[in-house]
């Protein structure tokens, strides 16, 4: 009895754990090749409402409109690149989940590798400092006679505290 219940629960979890695609049946194209191209394109396009979801995964009305627009353009005979260019001209490059590599996006593409390099350099310098004993050069300089005399005076006056 418990085993059957566990199997049923596991089956339910597996069914509900699949990603929910928002593509409605009325949006699906009859031509499987065009539908595959539409799914590929819509997986790389950002939902302007959800912002971190593709239009393929979003239930927002604007995402539905974009999915329909992509399919209309493909049926009209546009290539994948023409569809992307059309959407970028209307909505800007923000509509792309993966921005294009260009001069105005160079910092965006370079930020990750630069942060990684800076982190590695910081780790290297910290390890090198630790191997040296962690003390700076100034800490190893002995006190002068005048400094030792002042220190003794401070310690004597602090003994009463």
């Amino acid at each position: 009895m418990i085993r059957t219940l566990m199997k049923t629960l596991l089956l339910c979890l597996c069914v509900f754990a699949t990603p929910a695609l928002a593509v409605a049946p009325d949006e699906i194209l009859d031509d499987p090749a065009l539908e595959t191209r539409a799914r590929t394109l819509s997986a790389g396009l950002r939902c302007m409402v959800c912002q971190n979801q593709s239009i393929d995964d979003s239930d927002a009305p604007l995402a539905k409109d974009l999915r329909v627009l992509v399919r209309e353009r493909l049926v009209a005979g546009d290539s994948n690149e023409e569809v992307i260019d059309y959407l970028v001209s209307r909505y800007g490059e923000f509509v792309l989940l993966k921005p294009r590599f260009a001069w105005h996006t160079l910092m965006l593409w370079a930020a990750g590798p630069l942060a990684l390099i800076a982190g590695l350099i910081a780790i290297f310098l910290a390890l090198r400092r630790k191997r040296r004993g962690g003390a700076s050069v100034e800490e190893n300089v002995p006190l002068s006679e005048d400094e030792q005399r002042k220190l003794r005076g401070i310690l004597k006056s602090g003994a009463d505290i």
Side-chain angles (χ1 to χ4, degrees):
M1 174 72 176
I2 293 177
R3 222 174 218 194
T4 306
L5 182 63
M6 293 298 284
K7 286 181 183 178
T8 306
L9 181 63
L10 183 61
L11 179 64
C12 287
L13 286 174
C14 290
V15 169
F16 293 118
T18 59
L21 297 177
V23 178
D26 63 331
E27 297 174 29
I28 298 175
L29 297 172
D30 293 332
D31 183 0
L34 282 179
E35 181 61 27
T36 302
R37 285 177 56 201
R39 291 287 178 106
T40 302
L41 286 172
S42 61
L45 296 171
R46 180 187 317 273
C47 173
M48 304 302 274
V49 176
C50 307
Q51 294 190 0
N52 283 331
Q53 275 186 316
S54 71
I55 62 171
D56 214 19
D57 297 331
S58 175
D59 264 343
L62 180 61
K64 178 182 169 92
D65 293 343
L66 287 174
R67 287 192 303 266
V68 170
L69 180 63
V70 166
R71 284 165 173 77
E72 286 173 356
R73 302 293 296 191
L74 289 176
V75 169
D78 286 358
S79 69
N80 290 3
E81 194 60 36
E82 288 172 332
V83 173
I84 296 293
D85 289 342
Y86 177 77
L87 290 170
V88 167
S89 71
R90 285 185 80 182
Y91 298 100
E93 286 201 28
F94 186 70
V95 78
L96 302 175
L97 278 173
K98 181 182 176 189
R100 296 175 175 167
F101 185 77
W103 285 109
H104 63 278
T105 59
L106 182 63
M107 191 59 185
L108 177 68
W109 283 98
L114 288 175
L116 178 66
I117 291 169
L120 291 174
I121 289 171
I123 290 171
F124 172 76
L125 292 174
L127 290 174
R128 196 168 117 193
R129 188 176 312 133
K130 187 175 181 178
R131 265 191 241 133
R132 287 185 177 173
S136 67
V137 177
E138 296 172 1
E139 293 177 18
N140 293 331
V141 176
L143 296 176
S144 67
E145 287 296 321
D146 186 42
E147 291 171 333
Q148 286 179 2
R149 206 173 328 111
K150 286 180 183 177
L151 180 60
R152 280 189 227 109
I154 293 171
L155 289 174
K156 282 182 182 179
S157 67
D160 298 334
I161 298 176

